[in-house]
């Protein structure tokens, strides 16, 4: 990222964007603190923890069972960070944030090549402040990695297409990294734009050029570590029971069932798709820019030019975004965070449209953004009081002070002021999320709180989890966790005393066979599925369940 922001510019507007980007990057550092969230983040962190504890970088295990769902690279990156920094939520999140910054840098590079530096900078601001990106910096999964790898691959392949053929090497490397994060479908959002561009502009010779076939060969070579790991864990062991059946090929799952199986709903992991799902998901996930984005799309549809003119600047980016968006929309397996991969394309599309506006339209959109700014501010203050976050009055003062200063500074109509004012709304959201909301929310993640309690009070003893398993407990517990689903599994000759984490409602089940001492109870809620009853602090208690850490001794 340093290269972007150190390049000199006499343009005051561009300097303003540099400053905004630095501020956003600095505030995003605070996302590294506070904890790892259930379910996916804690699951991924626990898998990476097991890699390190067992010194096994090839096999993926969840609760002692072979796990075949995602490729390895996300876990290799997290485990490498654990190796360097120790096992912690900070170490788990850090690689994702760094790769997110790298993705912002590649967005700048690609935008500068396809458009202008001004548009590229606006796009970087939009991407870094999109609400779901802000959320993903805290609730780390695989999407930030995937977005960066696909964006870097598109950039290097574009350079290889335009001039320097050797860029197929880094392009193929990054594409292979994307595949080792999410699967073979990653090829589509990387190559679809080029294929559409070559077909529409009748550049059919590109399809037979040696460098593109070499690129595919290189991708195949670069993904060999993933294929080897899958072969060792699954294909070499047909006796293993995976998805309730034997003779499961990890390599077949990687190339077909994981991706095409989900899309057509024929694989072992199924979902229920909704064609409109990502239309309304984008509306909140791409805030504060989503309204401008939809206006830009409507304007293009009105002119019947959603793909764009026969120029690489519009065809490659817009085709990539359109194909990926349609792919997600028609898939039978859909989750909100999937859409992040096309946010850089949305940002370039929106920034380009915004930069082309005349004063009258710009004024109208500025009013829209000012309304969004006020609504975001009011909504966050309301949530602060309804959820009853600690130091809520401090947040209100900071939010109102920041909002007032920003409104005064950026009230006049210009692209710079519109971008900066909208970015400030995202900055206030980041401040609220990282410093006030998420730290409070995580108090109700029983697995994490219990694991941290054990770190302080029983750092060395063996720990078991009985029923109601929580991935965050696996990650935060100071030692390896043994998962059991039956009382008989708790009994062991060597277990004079054992500590067990379980739902409080199941504690009476143990009293007939053990002397039970409750060490501590913990309130729990499924914090990624927020409902009004939980958000309202007055009714929250009724929505909570309870988990307990108990010490068991054999009845003599």
């Amino acid at each position: 990222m340093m290269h972007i922001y150190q390049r000199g510019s006499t343009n005051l507007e561009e300097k303003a964007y540099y400053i905004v980007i630095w501020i956003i990057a600095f505030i995003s550092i605070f996302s590294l603190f506070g904890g790892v969230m259930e379910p996916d983040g804690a699951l991924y962190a626990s898998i990476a923890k097991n890699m390190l504890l067992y010194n096994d970088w090839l096999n993926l295990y969840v609760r002692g069972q072979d796990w075949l769902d995602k490729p390895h690279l996300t876990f290799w990156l997290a485990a490498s960070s654990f190796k360097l920094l120790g096992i912690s939520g900070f170490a788990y999140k850090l690689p994702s944030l760094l790769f997110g910054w790298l993705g912002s840098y590649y967005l700048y590079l690609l935008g500068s090549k396809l458009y202008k530096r001004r548009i590229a900078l606006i796009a970087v601001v939009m991407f870094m402040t999109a609400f779901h990106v802000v959320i993903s910096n805290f609730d780390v999964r695989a999407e930030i990695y995937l977005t960066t790898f696909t964006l870097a691959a598109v950039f290097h392949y574009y350079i290889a297409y335009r001039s320097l053929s050797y860029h197929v090497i880094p392009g193929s490397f990054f594409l292979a990294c994307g595949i080792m994060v999410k699967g073979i479908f990653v090829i589509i959002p990387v190559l679809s734009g080029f294929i559409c561009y070559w077909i529409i502009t009748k550049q059919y010779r590109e399809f037979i050029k040696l460098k593109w076939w070499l690129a595919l060969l290189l991708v195949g070579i670069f993904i060999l570590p993933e294929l080897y790991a899958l072969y060792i864990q699954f294909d070499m062991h047909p006796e293993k029971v995976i998805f309730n059946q034997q003779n499961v090929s990890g390599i077949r799952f990687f190339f077909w069932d994981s991706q095409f199986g989900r899309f057509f709903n024929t694989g072992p992991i199924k979902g229920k798709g909704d064609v409109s799902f990502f239309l309304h998901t984008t509306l909140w996930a791409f805030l504060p820019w989503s309204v401008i984005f939809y206006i830009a799309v409507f304007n293009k549809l009105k002119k019947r030019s959603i793909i764009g003119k026969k120029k690489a600047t519009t065809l490659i980016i817009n085709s990539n975004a359109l194909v990926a968006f349609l792919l997600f929309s028609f898939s039978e397996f859909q989750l909100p965070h999937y859409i992040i991969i096309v946010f850089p394309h949305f940002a370039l599309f929106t920034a380009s449209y915004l930069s082309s506006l005349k004063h009258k339209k710009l004024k109208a959109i500025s009013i829209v953004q000012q309304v969004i700014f006020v609504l975001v501010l009011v909504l966050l203050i309301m949530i602060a009081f309804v959820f009853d976050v600690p130091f809520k009055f401090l947040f209100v003062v900071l939010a109102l002070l920041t909002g007032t200063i920003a409104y005064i500074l950026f009230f006049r109509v210009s692209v710079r002021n519109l971008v900066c004012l909208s970015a400030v709304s995202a900055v206030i959201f980041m401040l609220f999320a990282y410093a006030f909301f998420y730290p409070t929310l995580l108090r109700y993640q029983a697995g994490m709180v219990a694991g941290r309690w054990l770190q302080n009070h029983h750092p060395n003893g063996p720990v078991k989890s009985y029923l109601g398993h929580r991935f965050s407990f696996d990650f935060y517990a100071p030692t390896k966790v043994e998962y059991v689903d039956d009382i008989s599994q708790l009994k062991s000759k060597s277990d004079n005393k054992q500590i067990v984490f379980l739902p409080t409602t199941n504690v009476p089940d143990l009293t007939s066979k053990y002397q039970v001492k409750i060490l501590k109870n913990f309130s729990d809620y499924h914090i990624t599925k927020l409902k009004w009853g939980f958000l309202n602090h007055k009714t929250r208690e009724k929505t909570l369940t309870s988990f307990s850490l108990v010490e068991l001794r054999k009845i003599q």
Side-chain angles (χ1 to χ4, degrees):
M1 286 182 70
M2 294 293 292
H3 177 68
I4 312 178
Y5 312 124
Q6 289 180 342
R7 287 181 64 175
S9 172
T10 58
N11 190 306
L12 290 178
E13 179 183 0
E14 292 182 4
K15 286 184 177 179
Y17 299 144
Y18 289 134
I19 293 171
V20 170
I21 291 169
W22 272 112
I23 292 173
I24 296 165
F26 174 74
I27 295 176
S28 65
I29 293 174
F30 293 94
S31 67
L32 299 176
F33 307 96
V36 178
M37 292 180 67
E38 295 266 13
D40 288 353
L43 168 63
Y44 295 174
S46 66
I47 293 172
K49 174 187 174 182
N50 289 336
M51 276 186 171
L52 207 61
L53 292 181
Y54 291 97
N55 194 28
D56 183 352
W57 295 69
L58 295 179
N59 297 286
L60 301 183
Y61 294 111
V62 173
R63 298 168 181 165
Q65 303 296 318
D66 292 283
W67 191 74
L68 179 61
D69 187 11
K70 296 287 189 298
H72 286 64
L73 186 55
T74 302
F75 313 109
W76 285 335
L77 292 170
S80 298
S81 183
F82 292 160
K83 186 78 171 178
L84 291 173
L85 303 174
I87 298 172
S88 67
F90 177 92
Y92 171 69
K93 294 180 180 182
L94 181 60
S96 177
L97 182 64
L98 296 178
F99 274 96
W101 288 349
L102 179 64
S104 299
Y105 174 59
Y106 269 108
L107 177 57
Y108 169 80
L109 292 178
L110 184 63
S112 298
K113 288 290 183 182
L114 295 177
Y115 298 90
K116 298 177 181 178
R117 184 168 64 180
R118 173 173 175 259
I119 292 175
L121 289 170
I122 295 172
V124 171
V125 173
M126 289 180 173
F127 172 68
M128 294 182 73
T129 55
F131 277 17
H132 213 325
V133 173
V134 171
I135 293 170
S136 295
N137 286 336
F138 192 95
D139 185 13
V140 172
R141 309 187 193 201
E143 276 58 44
I144 297 298
Y145 294 122
L146 181 62
T147 302
T148 294
F149 292 143
T150 55
L151 196 60
V154 170
F155 170 76
H156 286 292
Y157 280 155
Y158 178 73
I159 299 300
Y161 159 68
R162 297 293 295 180
S163 55
L164 304 174
S165 296
Y166 68 85
H167 272 263
V168 297
I169 300 174
S172 297
F173 172 76
F174 281 114
L175 176 53
C177 287
I179 292 171
M180 289 191 291
V181 165
K182 201 67 174 179
I184 204 69
F185 252 40
V186 177
I187 290 177
I188 296 175
V190 171
L191 299 183
S192 58
F194 293 97
I195 293 172
C196 290
Y197 177 53
W198 294 336
I199 291 175
I200 292 172
T201 56
K202 299 181 180 180
Q203 299 184 55
Y204 303 121
R205 289 186 178 181
E206 290 295 330
F207 292 103
I208 60 174
K209 286 187 175 179
L210 180 61
K211 62 182 175 182
W212 301 122
W213 292 100
L214 176 62
L216 293 178
L217 176 62
L218 288 172
V219 169
I221 293 172
F222 289 139
I223 66 172
L224 284 177
E226 175 64 30
L227 300 182
Y228 177 74
L230 290 170
Y231 179 78
I232 292 295
Q233 184 170 6
F234 299 103
D235 293 70
M236 277 187 66
H237 298 280
E239 76 282 359
K240 289 184 176 181
V241 178
I242 312 295
F243 303 125
N244 297 316
Q245 56 182 317
Q246 292 182 312
N247 294 302
V248 173
S249 168
I251 294 176
R252 173 190 161 82
F253 181 86
F254 175 74
F255 281 110
W256 183 261
D257 292 330
S258 175
Q259 306 289 295
F260 295 94
R262 292 191 188 194
F263 182 81
F264 295 112
N265 222 29
T266 59
I269 302 174
K270 301 181 185 296
K272 187 177 181 181
D274 175 5
V275 174
S276 67
F277 178 79
F278 288 107
L279 288 173
H280 53 76
T281 296
T282 300
L283 193 58
W284 68 263
F286 198 51
L287 277 174
W289 315 102
S290 54
V291 174
I292 307 177
F293 170 70
Y294 277 124
I295 291 173
V297 171
F298 178 78
N299 182 70
K300 290 290 186 181
L301 289 173
K302 188 177 178 182
K303 295 179 179 180
R304 298 181 180 179
S305 58
I306 189 64
I307 295 296
K309 298 177 182 179
K310 294 182 179 181
K311 298 189 299 183
T313 52
T314 52
L315 273 172
I316 293 176
I317 292 300
N318 297 352
S319 296
N320 265 343
L322 180 61
V323 171
F325 190 85
L326 291 176
L327 183 71
F328 295 149
S329 296
F330 285 98
S331 172
E332 291 294 327
F333 194 90
Q334 300 169 331
L335 291 171
H337 48 269
Y338 288 0
I339 196 66
I340 293 176
I341 189 176
V342 291
F343 275 6
H345 303 76
F346 286 1
L348 285 172
F349 181 80
T350 308
S352 175
Y353 171 76
L354 193 61
S355 299
S356 69
L357 292 179
K358 303 299 181 182
H359 181 79
K360 186 176 180 180
K361 286 188 176 180
L362 183 61
K363 183 177 180 180
I365 291 182
S366 295
I367 293 172
V368 170
Q369 291 303 105
Q370 289 169 9
V371 171
I372 292 175
F373 179 86
V374 173
L375 288 176
V376 168
L377 198 62
V378 170
L379 182 61
L380 293 179
I381 292 174
M382 288 176 58
I383 293 174
F385 279 92
V386 171
F387 196 66
D388 194 29
V389 300
F391 309 108
K392 53 182 171 289
F393 289 104
L394 173 61
F395 168 72
V396 171
V397 170
L398 290 173
L400 290 177
L401 182 62
T402 304
T404 301
I405 293 173
Y407 199 79
I408 293 172
L409 290 176
F410 306 122
F411 178 77
R412 299 180 67 178
V413 177
S414 71
V415 172
R416 184 199 67 177
N417 287 349
L418 184 154
V419 171
C420 290
L421 184 66
S422 300
V424 170
S425 70
V427 166
I428 295 173
F429 174 64
M430 293 170 75
L431 174 68
F432 176 69
Y434 299 158
F436 295 90
F437 183 71
Y438 280 133
T440 306
L441 187 65
L442 286 169
R443 294 178 182 178
Y444 302 96
Q445 187 167 273
M448 183 193 80
V449 181
R452 286 178 167 174
W453 188 89
L454 279 176
Q455 290 175 13
N456 295 324
H457 296 86
H458 294 274
N460 300 314
V463 181
K464 294 183 179 180
S465 180
Y466 170 57
L467 301 177
H469 308 317
R470 291 293 185 268
F471 294 122
S472 59
F473 182 71
D474 191 0
F475 177 63
Y476 280 99
T479 57
K480 298 173 184 177
V481 177
E482 180 183 346
Y483 289 94
V484 296
D485 293 303
D486 188 86
I487 292 178
S488 63
Q489 295 175 297
L490 291 172
K491 192 173 182 180
S492 172
K493 292 181 180 179
S494 61
D495 284 338
N496 269 335
K497 180 177 71 173
Q498 55 188 320
I499 294 175
V500 181
F501 178 68
L502 75 167
T504 304
T505 54
N506 292 108
V507 172
D509 300 342
L510 307 178
T511 55
S512 62
K513 294 188 176 183
Y514 298 94
Q515 294 177 5
V516 179
K517 177 184 177 182
I518 296 180
L519 300 176
K520 194 170 181 62
N521 294 325
F522 305 91
S523 296
D524 186 69
Y525 186 83
H526 197 314
I527 60 174
T528 55
K529 292 186 177 181
L530 300 178
K531 294 183 179 180
W532 174 254
F534 172 77
L535 285 173
N536 186 350
H537 70 279
K538 295 179 180 180
T539 59
R540 182 176 304 143
E541 194 67 29
K542 298 177 182 179
T543 68
L544 301 177
T545 57
S546 178
F547 279 73
S548 300
L549 275 173
V550 300
E551 182 181 273
L552 303 183
R553 292 179 182 270
K554 291 181 181 180
I555 296 177
Q556 301 298 325

